[in-house]
Every structure is written in structure tokens, then in C-alpha cells.
Amino acid sequence: MNILECKNICKSYKKNFPVLYNFNIEIPTGRIVGLLGPNGCGKSTLMKLISGLLQADSGEILISGNPVGEKSKALISYLPERTYFSSNMRVSELVDYFEDFYSDFDTQRAYKLLADLGIDPEASLKALSKGTKEKVQLILVMSRNARLYLLDEPIAGVDPAAREYILSTIVGNYNPDATIIITTHLITDVEQVLDDFVFLGFGGRILLAGNAEEARNESGKSLDELFKEVFRC
């Protein structure tokens, strides 16, 4: 069964300037999918549409067969591109907040991941660096037992040394029956964990998509090399 189906999705912020135009995609369960494309191609807009933060102008989105709404939102754990927590909150207060708000939140997992990264649960967010705040947000998102994880640029704000750990955290802390969609422009760093990929052009046009390993074997190139070739054309 597909965890996600997008059918003829259109979304514009300005008249006659569509961000997504007749966008169609089907994503099955149990996959890690890279949604890869340049800034402005609609990656973040699509994530917000799926999560219910934005409404499409037309078309249909189904999450595990459910239209966007209360049922679909309960299945999704969403990491936005920017942090949104109050800087006056302590990390432990955020854990309590997620525990109260989400019935599928694993508090023990959250504290283990915080300890693994050496993050003090009693630290105030305003005392943390930008990268550490993003790590905290990722830990909270990945500590839910969701069906669909939407991760918008999860490694963009952290130092290269932490990226490998964060990617292993993503892979190691989700239900294998769930699906993860990752948007990023750091393809070299993320392609090692991807099962499938989608190269998204402007207007939400899919330029190339498929199984990551098969694409590498058939082309003899990395996804990063394929990406540069496709977008150069």
C-alpha cells in the first residue's frame, strides 16, 4: 500500500506563478526517499501541503488512504526547515510537551538520543547553538512512532562531523514499516541512506526518479553526479 499519493496537485502563491503544477507521485511504505531539487522548486511547499500546514489550490493528497485532516496528521511526524520552539523553554520541557501532545511519542528514546549527542535536558534553548537546536528538534520528531516522517533539510544547519550521526539516528530510529521523505541539497551526504530518489524541477516537475541503487548501477554515477547532469541539461 502507498503511504502517500499526490494527484494533480497545484499550488501558487502568486497568480500565474505556480510552485507546483499538476504534481503527481506515489510513495510506498517502508522506504527512505530523497526529494532533491534546487531552492524554489517546491520541496518545502510540498511538505507543508502533505502535513496540512498549507492547502492545495486543486488536486488530492492521500496519506495511507486518508485525505489531509485529523487522521492523516496523526500519522505524520514533520520536521520543518526552521526551528519554531520558544527560546525560553528548556529541552526537558519540550520533551514533556511532545509526550503530552503525541500519543506515539517515545520519551525514553528521546532522552537516550539527547544523551548520545551530549545535550543537557535542562539547558534552555536560548543557550544552545543553532545547530544544537536543530538536533533537538530532529530528536523530538524521530522519537515519535509515526507512519510518515517529513524531514525538511534535516542536516543543513549542522557541522559535517555531526551529519553522519544524525543520518544514522534517522535510519535507526523509525519503524521499518514507516516511510521517510527527506528534502536536501546536500546530496553527497544523504544519498547513502536513500532507497529511492526524486529530482524535482521548477513547477514541481519530476525530472528523474527511481531506486537509488539501481540508478547508480545503471549510470555508473553517484546521485550527486546524476543530479548535476540532469539540472545542467
Side-chain angles (χ1 to χ4, degrees), residues 91-159:
V91 174
S92 61
E93 291 176 325
L94 290 171
V95 173
D96 291 342
Y97 175 82
F98 267 64
E99 183 179 32
D100 290 342
F101 200 80
Y102 298 108
S103 61
D104 61 2
F105 186 74
D106 187 335
T107 304
Q108 185 175 355
R109 183 194 299 172
Y111 278 114
K112 179 185 182 301
L113 293 173
L114 289 170
D116 287 347
L117 284 176
I119 298 172
D120 181 4
E122 297 309 308
S124 171
L125 278 191
K126 62 185 175 185
L128 302 179
S129 68
K130 180 177 182 291
T132 302
K133 290 176 185 176
E134 293 185 353
K135 292 174 189 175
V136 169
Q137 188 163 282
L138 176 63
I139 285 171
L140 294 171
V141 167
M142 295 309 300
S143 292
R144 288 186 56 198
N145 293 306
R147 292 289 311 284
L148 177 61
Y149 297 86
L150 304 175
L151 309 181
D152 199 356
E153 297 286 355
I155 59 173
V158 299
D159 57 274

Side-chain angles (χ1 to χ4, degrees), residues 18-57:
V19 178
L20 296 170
Y21 182 72
N22 285 345
F23 178 80
N24 291 274
I25 198 169
E26 294 182 356
I27 294 179
T29 57
R31 310 295 287 174
I32 300 178
V33 182
L35 188 62
L36 313 172
N39 292 335
C41 72
K43 301 189 301 297
S44 293
T45 294
L46 179 60
M47 300 287 249
K48 290 174 182 175
L49 290 169
I50 297 167
S51 65
L53 294 177
L54 290 176
Q55 186 173 356
D57 299 331

Side-chain angles (χ1 to χ4, degrees), residues 185-199:
H185 61 280
L186 300 169
I187 300 171
T188 300
D189 293 293
V190 79
E191 74 166 276
Q192 60 184 305
V193 306
L194 299 181
D195 297 312
D196 304 310
F197 71 96
V198 179
F199 289 165

Side-chain angles (χ1 to χ4, degrees), residues 78-97:
Y78 171 54
L79 178 76
E81 187 178 7
R82 295 179 177 84
T83 55
Y84 58 91
F85 301 131
S86 168
S87 61
N88 292 321
M89 296 182 75
R90 298 195 311 274
V91 174
S92 61
E93 291 176 325
L94 290 171
V95 173
D96 291 342
Y97 175 82

